[in-house]
């Protein structure tokens, strides 16, 4: 009977020994993975600081500037399709640089509407059906508004509603 108890204790000790070895191996693998990441894959501190701190004489690109959103009226136009049976309903908001530009948008509202109506009515269904075409339309609207309001006044154009029928 004593002999059987020793064998059971030996079996339990053997299982416990393998569990401890497994835990130690997992800890070593984790430490090795962390070491490998920090030495080879993680960005260097100097590189990160250089990317975050722009030079003093650099001008902020338009992508980093934030402005005020100004809604434009919803445009409903006939598209320039051969049969003339397609319509475009387009709602947009424009992000402007400063309050002066926002005031200028109210002042030049008739010019803005005229310019955008002419631009939108010159489009066809095919020229608006792809994602690239929609992005190009946003850029064209921004360019036309910047011609009226002054270069760099309009930062971004957001399409809030678009229906083509």
């Amino acid at each position: 009977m004593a002999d059987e108890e020793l064998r059971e204790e030996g079996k339990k000790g053997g299982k416990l020994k393998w569990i401890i070895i497994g835990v130690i191996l997992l800890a070593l693998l984790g430490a090795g993975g962390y070491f490998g990441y920090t030495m080879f894959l993680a960005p260097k501190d100097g590189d990160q600081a250089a990317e975050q701190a722009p030079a003093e004489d650099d001008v902020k690109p338009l992508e980093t500037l934030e402005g005020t959103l100004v809604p434009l009226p919803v445009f409903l136009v006939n598209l320039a399709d051969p049969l003339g049976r397609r319509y475009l309903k387009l709602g947009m908001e424009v992000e402007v640089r400063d309050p002066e530009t926002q005031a200028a948008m109210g002042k030049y509202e008739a010019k803005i509407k005229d310019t955008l109506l002419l631009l939108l009515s010159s489009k066809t269904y095919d020229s608006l059906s792809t994602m690239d075409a929609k992005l190009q339309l946003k850029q064209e609207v921004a360019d036309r508004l910047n011609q009226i309001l002054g270069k760099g006044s309009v930062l971004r154009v957001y399409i809030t509603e678009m229906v083509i029928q």
Side-chain angles (χ1 to χ4, degrees):
M1 205 171 195
D3 202 21
E4 289 178 11
E5 289 177 13
L6 287 174
R7 285 186 192 163
E8 287 182 21
E9 287 180 22
K11 289 181 183 178
K12 289 181 184 176
K15 288 182 184 178
L16 182 61
K17 180 172 57 172
W18 286 109
I19 292 174
I20 292 173
I21 290 173
V23 169
I24 291 173
L25 283 175
L26 285 175
L28 286 174
L29 283 173
Y34 175 75
F35 175 76
Y37 172 76
T38 56
M39 293 303 289
F40 302 111
L41 300 176
K44 306 290 187 249
D45 291 337
D47 295 342
Q48 198 173 29
E51 290 175 5
Q52 290 177 353
E56 293 176 9
D57 57 348
D58 286 347
V59 178
K60 286 186 175 180
L62 292 179
E63 293 81 23
T64 61
L65 293 176
E66 291 186 21
T68 306
L69 287 176
V70 178
L72 292 177
V74 176
F75 292 93
L76 181 63
V77 296
N78 291 337
L79 292 177
D81 280 326
L83 299 177
R85 294 184 181 173
R86 292 205 182 260
Y87 301 97
L88 169 68
K89 181 179 180 183
L90 184 68
M92 295 179 284
E93 289 196 20
V94 178
E95 188 173 2
V96 295
R97 184 181 301 272
D98 49 28
E100 292 82 22
T101 305
Q102 188 174 359
M105 286 190 70
K107 180 179 175 184
Y108 297 116
E109 184 176 0
K111 280 185 178 182
I112 291 170
K113 284 182 180 179
D114 178 61
T115 301
L116 295 181
L117 282 172
L118 290 174
L119 172 68
L120 296 173
S121 63
S122 70
K123 299 292 181 182
T124 63
Y125 173 77
D126 293 333
S127 68
L128 293 173
S129 59
T130 65
M131 182 60 69
D132 288 336
K134 291 173 183 137
L135 294 174
Q136 182 182 359
L137 174 66
K138 289 171 56 170
Q139 186 60 47
E140 288 176 2
V141 169
D143 291 343
R144 299 279 173 102
L145 291 176
N146 279 326
Q147 286 175 354
I148 295 170
L149 302 170
K151 185 172 173 103
S153 298
V154 174
L155 302 174
R156 292 174 203 87
V157 174
Y158 300 101
I159 296 176
T160 57
E161 177 181 8
M162 185 174 202
V163 179
I164 302 174
Q165 184 177 358

